[in-house]
Amino acid sequence: MKKNNLRIVFMGTPEFAVETLKALVENDYQVVAVVTQPDKPVGRHGSVLQPSAVKQYALEHGLHVLQPEKMKDPAFVEQLRSYQANLQVVVAFRMLPEVVWAMPAYGTFNVHAALLPQYRGAAPINWAVINGETLTGVTTFFLDHDIDTGRIIMQLPFDIPDDADVEYVYDGLMHLGAEICLQTLDRIIAADGHPSSTPQLSDSQNPELKSAPKIFKETCEISWSQPAKQVYDFVRGLSPYPGAWTTLKSPDGKDTVLKIFRTTKTTLSAKGSAGQVTADRKHLYVSCQDFLLQIDELQLAGKKRMDAQAFLNGMKDIEKYFLS
């Protein structure tokens, strides 16, 4: 098969997917259509519709855009079929029904931001950092009936430094995802649409598998009763978005939500119970199960993000406060 004969439908929504779509366009692949989520209502009254990052890029480059409400909608399925794609590429999109992923002759492959079978699910980047992993990566695999379980085409690794937050890993995997997509296409073209691939181990075959479920607000609440290293990883695994949070309890009984974006590990033994706040002139600390964790950047509800020094300057009797 020749590159010019390959007709691709691209599916994706967020900024993470744009980098891969951009790589396809800039490397002269024939992207016959782009499928993305419907425009999202934003603003106080939801009166403004915000297009996805993928849609914005697609329109800027003259690509056909489809935005189905339901992937099984017969009208959408017929419209998709009319583009006569022989391959579909998916990055950060929703689950597809078989009528869609099985449509092209060469199938549909997904770019996943983890080294499958580890971290199947919606938030693999966050969970890899939260769990203190030192290595992650990207995987391309053919879609099948279950989420993130299809045959693996190839993988590329990515190191996670101990001080890296989710933004750093996200950016790195976003670019690596574009790279692995192009390499995967090279393999597909060389193999006339049918590259070698490897089946994944099932959950029962590998009980050590870690999952990556969707993250909600309650997921982001900090538990100070854990070892300081776990809290440290938890904070950077949610920074800068959606942000780990805790409740600041004042001596007068008022509770305020406090987001924490950056911390530093210490070898100082914890003081008092978990969540106990302590400070010196320049540093703010919280007791965890074993050590004090230094809080470096934080944000009170309704306030701007600030460093610990600015926070301490605006607080009196900080050691009478407690985090829970």
Side-chain angles (χ1 to χ4, degrees):
M1 182 194 6
K2 295 183 179 179
K3 176 179 176 180
N4 292 341
N5 296 331
L6 188 62
R7 296 174 61 82
I8 298 173
V9 165
F10 180 86
M11 300 184 182
T13 294
E15 176 195 17
F16 188 90
V18 173
E19 193 68 24
T20 301
L21 177 57
K22 179 181 176 184
L24 295 176
V25 170
E26 293 183 352
N27 283 274
D28 299 321
Y29 278 96
Q30 187 179 182
V31 180
V32 295
V34 171
V35 183
T36 189
Q37 295 276 37
D39 294 357
K40 185 178 180 181
V42 295
R44 177 174 294 182
H45 303 292
S47 57
V48 178
L49 292 178
Q50 177 69 43
S52 72
V54 162
K55 179 181 178 180
Q56 292 180 57
Y57 179 88
L59 292 180
E60 288 169 1
H61 291 81
L63 302 175
H64 296 280
V65 176
L66 307 179
Q67 295 178 275
E69 291 284 349
K70 297 180 180 180
M71 299 300 290
K72 290 184 179 180
D73 180 3
F76 163 70
V77 172
E78 286 307 308
Q79 187 178 18
L80 185 63
R81 187 174 283 115
S82 72
Y83 287 98
Q84 299 180 329
N86 40 27
L87 179 71
Q88 291 175 155
V89 177
V90 180
V91 184
F93 197 54
R94 61 176 121 171
M95 187 174 180
L96 303 181
E98 183 175 2
V99 68
V100 172
W101 58 256
M103 187 182 296
Y106 301 147
T108 300
F109 78 80
N110 180 272
V111 177
H112 186 73
L115 296 175
L116 292 173
Q118 294 290 359
Y119 296 106
R120 293 172 177 150
I125 304 176
N126 297 94
W127 286 109
V129 181
I130 288 171
N131 288 335
E133 303 287 0
T134 58
L135 181 71
T136 186
V138 287
T139 301
T140 50
F141 67 97
F142 285 114
L143 293 189
D144 63 11
H145 293 92
D146 298 315
I147 296 177
D148 301 334
T149 60
R151 295 179 66 89
I152 291 173
I153 307 168
M154 63 178 301
Q155 296 183 312
L156 293 176
F158 182 84
D159 292 324
I160 305 177
D162 183 65
D163 60 350
D165 61 16
V166 122
E167 185 173 44
Y168 172 90
V169 182
Y170 179 100
D171 186 65
L173 294 184
M174 180 173 66
H175 290 88
L176 196 61
E179 181 180 333
I180 198 173
C181 177
L182 295 178
Q183 292 185 25
T184 299
L185 289 172
D186 287 342
R187 291 193 181 190
I188 290 173
I189 292 169
D192 198 24
H194 302 286
S196 61
S197 57
T198 306
Q200 294 188 45
L201 293 177
S202 66
D203 292 349
S204 60
Q205 292 172 314
N206 190 349
E208 303 296 320
L209 292 183
K210 299 173 184 177
S211 61
K214 186 175 180 179
I215 289 176
F216 299 95
K217 180 181 178 181
E218 55 269 25
T219 313
C220 303
E221 184 176 10
I222 300 169
S223 172
W224 298 104
S225 61
Q226 299 178 99
K229 175 63 164 66
Q230 284 186 238
V231 179
Y232 170 81
D233 291 335
F234 187 79
V235 169
R236 66 193 183 99
L238 296 167
S239 178
Y241 181 83
W245 63 273
T246 186
T247 301
L248 178 66
K249 294 184 173 294
S250 65
D252 59 8
K254 293 182 180 179
D255 293 351
T256 307
V257 172
L258 182 70
K259 281 193 173 184
I260 298 178
F261 296 99
R262 188 165 60 86
T263 65
T264 299
K265 292 175 290 183
T266 79
T267 56
L268 302 172
S269 297
K271 298 180 180 180
S273 57
Q276 181 67 51
V277 178
T278 186
D280 55 31
R281 289 186 176 183
K282 295 183 178 181
H283 303 102
L284 174 66
Y285 304 99
V286 181
S287 288
C288 298
Q289 183 190 91
D290 45 8
F291 298 108
L292 292 179
L293 189 65
Q294 181 178 306
I295 309 301
D296 299 319
E297 289 186 25
L298 64 167
Q299 182 179 20
L300 284 164
K303 304 291 184 179
K304 293 182 178 180
R305 182 170 169 173
M306 66 185 81
D307 60 28
Q309 182 67 66
F311 174 78
L312 289 170
N313 290 341
M315 300 291 290
K316 293 183 178 179
D317 301 321
I318 187 62
E319 297 196 3
K320 293 182 180 180
Y321 286 74
F322 193 84
L323 296 181
S324 67

